[in-house]
Amino acid sequence: MRGQLLRSLVSLMITLLCVGTLLTTLICNVQPQRVPAQKKSAPQPSDPCKGCRQIIDKVLQRYSPTWKRQEDNYQKFRSQLSSKCHGFDKAIITQANTPVGHKLVYDGEKRRSLQVTREVFSTFMKEHPFSNKTWDTCAVVGNGGILTNSSCGQMIDSAQFVIRCNLPPLQNGYEKHVGTKTDLVTANPSILMEKYGALMGRRRPFVKSLRSYGDSLLLLPAFSYGHNTPVSLRVAYTIEDFESPTRPIFFNPEYLQSLAVFWRSQGLREVRLSTGIIMASLALELCSNVHLYGFWPFSNHPHGLRALTNHYYDNRQVKKKFHAMPAEFDHLLRLHSEGALRLHLGDCAPGEK
């Protein structure tokens, strides 16, 4: 009796095991009905930046025709610029145009002013660095990511006068693409505050960073805002104390104000002009042939639409509430199309001029 019961239990267990195996096989082999999954793929170059393809295509339509210098257009625009802004004489503060006792009105804070003391006066350049001198070729080098792997260094360095913006790095492999020659470099006080502690502590790292610019002019907006003045003066004192060959100079706020008014008359309305368009404007007064590099306000390359970093050396974003980069670029592109200056949008071929 017990043996028969045991045999029955074993038989039942085998049966259950077989049924379980059969059910498992059926469940595993049945494919549930579902909507076919969308294939994941890399962003297509047809629309890599949410509609920017159409914008970039329009830019290229204006840019693509073979560039030809138009002397009449250049002279006309240069004459308009010079008559309103007088960059040759007024762009830079000197001891000649800004004497002791002169009242400087901050262009970014028009209700604020500073009366020039003898101590402040001593930091001004004695003679104007540009007066009565016109260079044949000038390169204004922006810091846009479009310069990455561009091989434009040799072409930039071939210019007679090279202007760079906001203390950009020139070594560690960047030389091939951005060059090293520097005749004038600007410095935004915010960089001095963030990177060098406003020169309130150790100053040697800042002086070392200037070595790559040689004996270039270092242009600072010392009198645009009140908080710019102390750090800009400390730059001048630091350069003097460490006997650096770099020569500090200050923007004249009257020139910056005149330039803002001029560009508003051209239809450009923004809170503050960027350093790039300020230096391009100055170059149009100082130089017969103006070439712009690294001026590209979009996050994708015009040729191939590959993604770009904001700067050729980092991806830090600009403060868009201050700078209307695409609007500025539109005006520079217009001057390019008119043959008044030349924008370089892309890689540079060996021997290209």
Side-chain angles (χ1 to χ4, degrees), residues 7-23:
R7 285 195 296 274
S8 298
L9 288 172
V10 171
S11 178
L12 179 61
M13 290 175 65
I14 293 173
T15 301
L16 290 172
L17 180 62
C18 291
V19 171
T21 302
L22 179 61
L23 288 172

Side-chain angles (χ1 to χ4, degrees), residues 247-304:
R247 295 167 290 161
I249 55 176
F250 303 138
F251 264 126
N252 189 334
E254 293 179 16
Y255 169 77
L256 295 178
Q257 176 61 24
S258 297
L259 192 62
V261 171
F262 170 79
W263 278 111
R264 278 198 293 272
S265 73
Q266 298 288 309
L268 181 59
R269 302 183 183 281
E270 56 181 330
V271 178
R272 297 287 294 173
L273 295 174
S274 72
T275 302
I277 198 167
I278 291 172
M279 300 319 298
S281 302
L282 183 59
L284 282 164
E285 286 200 57
L286 304 179
C287 317
S288 298
N289 296 277
V290 177
H291 295 256
L292 306 184
Y293 302 84
F295 283 71
W296 181 248
F298 305 106
S299 58
N300 292 79
H301 198 284
H303 307 294

Side-chain angles (χ1 to χ4, degrees), residues 95 98-102 114-125 233 237 240 250:
Q95 292 184 355
T98 310
V100 173
H102 182 83
L114 178 142
Q115 190 168 20
V116 177
T117 64
R118 290 194 177 278
E119 183 180 1
V120 172
F121 179 79
S122 68
T123 64
F124 297 166
M125 180 166 274
L233 293 177
Y237 299 145
E240 181 181 354
F250 303 138

Side-chain angles (χ1 to χ4, degrees), residues 155-279:
M155 193 170 172
I156 290 170
D157 285 350
S158 69
Q160 279 188 310
F161 196 80
V162 179
I163 299 171
R164 301 184 187 273
C165 302
N166 295 333
L167 298 175
L170 303 179
Q171 275 111 24
N172 300 322
Y174 295 126
E175 302 94 328
K176 179 180 178 182
H177 309 295
V178 301
T180 58
K181 182 179 179 180
T182 307
D183 295 285
L184 185 153
V185 60
T186 70
N188 192 317
S190 64
I191 295 175
L192 302 172
M193 294 173 186
E194 294 170 13
K195 196 170 182 180
Y196 301 105
L199 301 181
M200 294 296 289
R202 294 186 180 275
R203 300 173 296 161
R204 192 175 298 277
F206 169 68
V207 176
K208 285 184 178 180
S209 73
L210 296 179
R211 291 177 182 173
S212 59
Y213 310 115
D215 62 351
S216 66
L217 297 164
L218 176 62
L219 180 54
L220 301 125
F223 307 104
S224 287
Y225 292 94
H227 60 263
N228 288 0
T229 304
V231 66
S232 297
L233 293 177
R234 282 195 292 274
V235 166
Y237 299 145
T238 298
I239 288 174
E240 181 181 354
D241 291 346
F242 282 81
E243 299 181 346
S244 170
T246 305
R247 295 167 290 161
I249 55 176
F250 303 138
F251 264 126
N252 189 334
E254 293 179 16
Y255 169 77
L256 295 178
Q257 176 61 24
S258 297
L259 192 62
V261 171
F262 170 79
W263 278 111
R264 278 198 293 272
S265 73
Q266 298 288 309
L268 181 59
R269 302 183 183 281
E270 56 181 330
V271 178
R272 297 287 294 173
L273 295 174
S274 72
T275 302
I277 198 167
I278 291 172
M279 300 319 298

Side-chain angles (χ1 to χ4, degrees), residues 103-116:
K103 182 181 178 181
L104 284 171
V105 178
Y106 289 83
D107 63 281
E109 296 179 273
K110 295 178 180 58
R111 295 183 180 180
R112 187 167 188 165
S113 62
L114 178 142
Q115 190 168 20
V116 177

Side-chain angles (χ1 to χ4, degrees), residues 56 145-148 296 298-308 345-347:
I56 292 176
I146 193 172
L147 279 174
T148 303
W296 181 248
F298 305 106
S299 58
N300 292 79
H301 198 284
H303 307 294
L305 299 179
R306 69 176 183 272
L308 296 173
L345 303 180
D347 299 343

Side-chain angles (χ1 to χ4, degrees), residues 71-83 262-263 266 280-281 284-285 331-332 334-335 338 340-341:
E71 184 67 25
D72 289 346
N73 290 339
Y74 161 74
Q75 291 293 351
K76 180 181 178 181
F77 189 82
R78 182 173 182 261
S79 176
Q80 293 174 347
L81 196 58
S82 298
S83 65
F262 170 79
W263 278 111
Q266 298 288 309
S281 302
L284 282 164
E285 286 200 57
H331 284 271
L332 295 174
R334 172 178 61 84
L335 291 172
E338 293 174 353
L341 56 72

